[in-house]
Amino acid sequence: MHRPIDRRTFIRFRISVPVLFRWADGTEHYDAGNSGNIGLGGMFIFASKCPPVGTQVEIEFAIPAFDRITRQLRFCFKGQVIRLETCYEVTGFAVAGLIEGELPAESEQLGDDIEELGARLMLQ
């Protein structure tokens, strides 16, 4: 059986949270969707309306607080749409870019926060 090669530089975690995203192509566009996976260098978004490949997007999402992480973590992801996917009636897009914190003070700890959160979610 043939298995595709995963060329990702960063680990992706299967985290499904609501996201807001925006892009501009002469007109400002705003829409919402749900994450399929999230990593430090990319993410996949399920959405009914997708920006075109090559478009710069800004995505905002929050990881809600739960018993092991007592505070909500808010993130802003900026990147470029690298792939669109459609399967039956489900559409989505892959983005390569960088996760940024809501506040500059969070940025140094941000990578550790999402890696730790992803690891904890996978253990549950």
Side-chain angles (χ1 to χ4, degrees):
M1 178 164 75
H2 175 64
R3 297 185 73 204
I5 297 171
D6 190 350
R7 295 184 176 99
R8 294 180 181 142
T9 304
F10 299 99
I11 296 171
R12 297 259 184 114
F13 298 99
R14 290 185 185 199
I15 300 173
S16 180
V17 294
V19 300
L20 299 173
F21 59 94
R22 62 181 162 268
W23 76 95
D25 59 4
T27 304
E28 291 287 324
H29 300 274
Y30 299 89
D31 217 323
N34 284 291
S35 63
N37 60 53
I38 300 172
L40 291 177
M43 64 190 313
F44 190 85
I45 305 297
F46 293 105
S48 59
K49 186 176 179 184
C50 299
V53 171
T55 302
Q56 294 293 319
V57 294
E58 194 170 302
I59 302 164
E60 296 178 16
F61 63 97
I63 306 295
F66 59 98
D67 60 338
R68 294 184 182 180
I69 305 281
T70 58
R71 63 180 173 90
Q72 174 177 283
L73 300 174
R74 296 190 59 154
F75 299 99
C76 180
F77 185 97
K78 294 180 182 179
Q80 182 175 17
V81 177
I82 58 170
R83 185 178 77 251
L84 300 178
E85 288 193 20
T86 302
C87 183
Y88 301 104
E89 294 184 23
V90 177
T91 59
F93 60 99
V95 182
L98 297 172
I99 293 179
E100 300 178 353
E102 184 177 41
L103 301 171
E106 291 181 355
S107 61
E108 291 178 18
Q109 183 67 32
L110 193 56
D112 293 339
D113 282 350
I114 198 161
E115 292 285 345
E116 178 184 338
L117 177 62
R120 287 181 181 184
L121 289 173
M122 292 177 70
L123 292 174
Q124 291 185 352

